[in-house]
Amino acid sequence: MIAVWCGFGLALGMALSANSHADGAAIAKAGAGAAPACQTCHGAAGEGVPQGGFPRLAGLGASYMQRQLDAFVAGTRVSSVMMPIAKALAVVDRAEVSAYYAALPVQAVPAAVLPAAPASAPAVAPASARVGATLAIRGRWADKLPSCEQCHGPGGRGVGSDFPALTGQGATYLANQLMAWKTGARPPGPLGLMAAVAKKLSDAEVRAVADHYASLPVRGAR
Ligand code: HEC
Ligand code: HEC
């Protein structure tokens, strides 16, 4: 009897270890090993929580997200929150959870989870709004700065798997990323494109263009 149970336990153990990584949906909902459930910060449908600084993941390119997780593991993209989480994921888990989020539909953050705007919320100054929209749509050719739309698509909806959407992300998150490229806290990425762009923006321009994209409606790219 004991031998039978031992054999059963061994077979079960082998089955579990052969399949010890969870699939993408399971990681998102329940975590994997020491990695917590992604949805506790990134939202139940991957829509993000702008006021918490948690980016949207739904609909971003799988290869883009996998590259970010790899960079958190390598420590080239600095985030005290995401570095230990990414390190707790096996390589195959990073691939599967990226594929899971890439396939989720892009949707707006439910109004219910957004705090009511305080009555005295300072509106974006019209001059700053103009600066943000101009950078987004026209760029600044005198400075060899292409428009954001040239790479991120009309309305910042994202293009393919490597140019992430900018709409659907909070202003603080967007501004933090641009500042991270200016200071080297985020790796330059493919061809160093974003580091080159960010270094041409003043701090006021970073804020203006981040506010611009955070204010646009969320629409799916693909
Ligand atoms: C405790 C909160 C928290 C949890 C849990 C969490 N994240 Fe994050 N995640 C963040 C924060 C904060 C950032 C933004 C980091 C930065 O500013 O660079 C982020 C950024 C990311 C990014 C980069 C997004 C982009 O647009 O570049 C990816 C990809 C990501 N997380 C995936 C995951 C996955 C997969 C899980 C689950 C295994 C997970 N996260 C769990 C807080 C969290
Ligand atoms: C020449 C092409 C190009 C231009 C122009 C460009 N970007 Fe990017 N952008 C990229 C690429 C490529 C990435 C992905 C970087 C990576 O994979 O690490 C990116 C990523 C980003 C991200 C990170 C998104 C996330 O989810 O973390 C932000 C924010 C961003 N760009 C903002 C802008 C803004 C604002 C402008 C205009 C001022 C702009 N970009 C212009 C190519 C470009």
Short mmCIF file of all heavy atoms in Angstrom, two decimals, residues 139-147 196-197 200:
data_model
loop_
_atom_site.label_atom_id
_atom_site.label_comp_id
_atom_site.label_asym_id
_atom_site.label_seq_id
_atom_site.Cartn_x
_atom_site.Cartn_y
_atom_site.Cartn_z
N GLY A 139 6.14 67.32 -33.91
CA GLY A 139 7.55 67.24 -33.52
C GLY A 139 8.22 68.61 -33.64
O GLY A 139 7.54 69.65 -33.64
N ARG A 140 9.52 68.60 -33.77
CA ARG A 140 10.25 69.87 -33.89
C ARG A 140 11.43 69.61 -34.82
O ARG A 140 12.50 69.20 -34.42
CB ARG A 140 10.73 70.34 -32.52
CG ARG A 140 11.36 71.72 -32.53
CD ARG A 140 11.53 72.30 -31.15
NE ARG A 140 12.28 71.43 -30.27
CZ ARG A 140 11.89 71.07 -29.04
NH1 ARG A 140 10.76 71.52 -28.53
NH2 ARG A 140 12.64 70.27 -28.32
N TRP A 141 11.16 69.85 -36.10
CA TRP A 141 12.14 69.45 -37.11
C TRP A 141 13.44 70.21 -37.00
O TRP A 141 14.51 69.66 -37.32
CB TRP A 141 11.54 69.54 -38.51
CG TRP A 141 10.67 68.34 -38.71
CD1 TRP A 141 9.31 68.30 -38.74
CD2 TRP A 141 11.11 66.99 -38.83
NE1 TRP A 141 8.87 67.01 -38.87
CE2 TRP A 141 9.95 66.18 -38.93
CE3 TRP A 141 12.36 66.36 -38.85
CZ2 TRP A 141 10.01 64.80 -39.06
CZ3 TRP A 141 12.42 64.97 -38.98
CH2 TRP A 141 11.26 64.21 -39.09
N ALA A 142 13.38 71.47 -36.54
CA ALA A 142 14.61 72.27 -36.41
C ALA A 142 15.60 71.54 -35.51
O ALA A 142 16.81 71.71 -35.63
CB ALA A 142 14.27 73.63 -35.83
N ASP A 143 15.06 70.72 -34.62
CA ASP A 143 15.86 70.01 -33.62
C ASP A 143 15.98 68.52 -33.99
O ASP A 143 16.38 67.71 -33.16
CB ASP A 143 15.12 70.15 -32.27
CG ASP A 143 16.04 70.20 -31.08
OD1 ASP A 143 17.25 70.26 -31.31
OD2 ASP A 143 15.53 70.15 -29.95
N LYS A 144 15.58 68.16 -35.20
CA LYS A 144 15.55 66.75 -35.66
C LYS A 144 14.75 65.88 -34.69
O LYS A 144 15.10 64.73 -34.43
CB LYS A 144 16.96 66.19 -35.82
CG LYS A 144 17.76 66.86 -36.93
CD LYS A 144 18.90 65.94 -37.37
CE LYS A 144 19.62 66.43 -38.60
NZ LYS A 144 20.25 67.76 -38.45
N LEU A 145 13.67 66.45 -34.15
CA LEU A 145 12.80 65.70 -33.23
C LEU A 145 11.53 65.34 -34.00
O LEU A 145 10.71 66.21 -34.29
CB LEU A 145 12.46 66.57 -32.02
CG LEU A 145 11.51 65.96 -30.99
CD1 LEU A 145 12.10 64.72 -30.34
CD2 LEU A 145 11.16 66.99 -29.90
N PRO A 146 11.38 64.04 -34.37
CA PRO A 146 10.16 63.67 -35.09
C PRO A 146 8.94 63.74 -34.17
O PRO A 146 9.08 63.75 -32.95
CB PRO A 146 10.42 62.23 -35.53
CG PRO A 146 11.58 61.73 -34.75
CD PRO A 146 12.25 62.90 -34.08
N SER A 147 7.76 63.79 -34.77
CA SER A 147 6.55 63.77 -33.94
C SER A 147 6.44 62.40 -33.27
O SER A 147 6.92 61.40 -33.79
CB SER A 147 5.32 64.02 -34.80
OG SER A 147 5.05 62.87 -35.59
N ALA A 196 17.01 59.04 -27.53
CA ALA A 196 17.32 60.21 -28.37
C ALA A 196 16.17 61.22 -28.32
O ALA A 196 16.40 62.43 -28.21
CB ALA A 196 17.59 59.76 -29.81
N VAL A 197 14.94 60.71 -28.38
CA VAL A 197 13.77 61.61 -28.34
C VAL A 197 13.71 62.32 -26.98
O VAL A 197 13.60 63.55 -26.91
CB VAL A 197 12.46 60.80 -28.58
CG1 VAL A 197 11.23 61.62 -28.22
CG2 VAL A 197 12.38 60.33 -30.04
N LYS A 200 15.83 65.32 -26.04
CA LYS A 200 15.56 66.61 -26.71
C LYS A 200 14.40 67.35 -26.07
O LYS A 200 14.05 68.45 -26.50
CB LYS A 200 15.26 66.36 -28.18
CG LYS A 200 16.51 65.93 -28.93
CD LYS A 200 16.31 65.77 -30.40
CE LYS A 200 17.66 65.47 -31.03
NZ LYS A 200 17.55 64.82 -32.32
#
